[in-house]
Amino acid sequence: MARPGQIIGLLGGSFDPAHDGHAHITCEAMKRFGLTRVWWLVSPGNPLKAKGPAPLARRMVRARQVMQHPRVTVTDIEARLGTRYTAQTIAALQARYPGVRFVWLMGADNLAQFHRWQDWTWIMENAPVGVLARPGDRISARMSPAARLYRHHRISARASQLLGRSDAPAWCFVNVAMTAQSSSAIRARGGWATSSDL
């Protein structure tokens, strides 16, 4: 549920598996970007990854165990909407919830390869984007095609609270103290079975 006037951050991903790093950047995003709520969009799959993730139901259970906050909702709405790409999801949510301001959230690693996403310029033109720095990705993100193309629409980190109320295109890059924990590292250690292991 969402009400007009709310500013909702959208953190999408396979969450394969969700971990404390996801929870940390979510809380930082709420604080830094002035968000009313955050929705974790646990995706059916990542079009940029050849190997499929663990079953959606299993990833949802893990995500809800990791992220327990009254202002955060873990949802499989992309599977229910039938959307495959981020631009499709944002468009569907904007149509379904008029008056709600949605902010797309992502790590700096995603900004570095954002130009590979389907309809990435549409995303930049239609939703403010909040970027949270992750270890080792700051320089590549700041030099990325997306950052260069939209350099005149960047909001300074000092004014990050303005992002949620800014009209797109608008984006903000903030540095936050982050852990180096990653889903791929957890899988590599054998701490999480993938779809092919089940």
Side-chain angles (χ1 to χ4, degrees):
M1 296 295 294
R3 296 189 304 275
Q6 288 185 325
I7 304 171
I8 298 179
L10 303 174
L11 184 65
S14 56
F15 295 96
D16 189 30
H19 53 73
D20 290 341
H22 292 127
H24 175 66
I25 65 167
T26 298
C27 292
E28 286 293 323
M30 280 194 289
K31 181 170 55 178
R32 299 292 291 275
F33 299 133
L35 308 176
T36 311
R37 302 186 58 82
V38 171
W39 291 357
W40 278 18
L41 306 181
V42 183
S43 66
N46 184 338
L48 294 179
K49 293 183 180 178
K51 187 177 180 182
L56 178 58
R58 185 162 172 258
R59 289 181 286 124
M60 288 286 293
V61 168
R62 168 68 176 244
R64 287 178 172 144
Q65 291 170 343
V66 169
M67 187 74 254
Q68 297 184 20
H69 190 288
R71 290 167 51 202
V72 180
T73 300
V74 176
T75 176
D76 62 354
I77 196 167
E78 283 187 304
R80 290 184 276 121
L81 290 172
T83 56
R84 180 167 167 78
Y85 297 102
T86 298
Q88 295 172 339
T89 299
I90 293 172
L93 291 175
Q94 289 174 339
R96 180 174 282 205
Y97 298 104
V100 174
R101 300 184 69 93
F102 289 106
V103 176
W104 183 254
L105 304 173
M106 62 182 170
D109 57 331
N110 280 321
L111 180 63
Q113 47 109 31
F114 194 41
H115 58 285
R116 295 176 53 208
W117 291 27
Q118 178 88 15
D119 297 325
W120 69 275
T121 55
W122 185 95
I123 298 169
M124 291 294 289
E125 297 286 342
N126 288 275
V129 175
V131 183
L132 298 118
R134 289 179 51 143
D137 295 308
R138 296 175 186 181
I139 294 174
S140 60
R142 287 177 173 161
M143 298 303 293
S144 68
R148 290 198 309 268
L149 182 61
Y150 288 95
R151 64 188 178 278
H152 298 302
H153 300 282
R154 180 176 174 183
I155 295 172
S156 73
R158 292 187 303 276
S160 61
Q161 288 281 324
L162 299 176
L163 182 67
R165 300 212 174 270
S166 298
D167 292 329
W171 65 287
C172 184
F173 186 107
V174 296
N175 293 312
V176 294
M178 304 182 80
T179 66
Q181 191 174 24
S182 72
S183 298
S184 56
I186 293 171
R187 293 194 303 271
R189 290 196 307 268
W192 180 256
T194 63
S195 57
S196 61
D197 299 323
L198 301 174

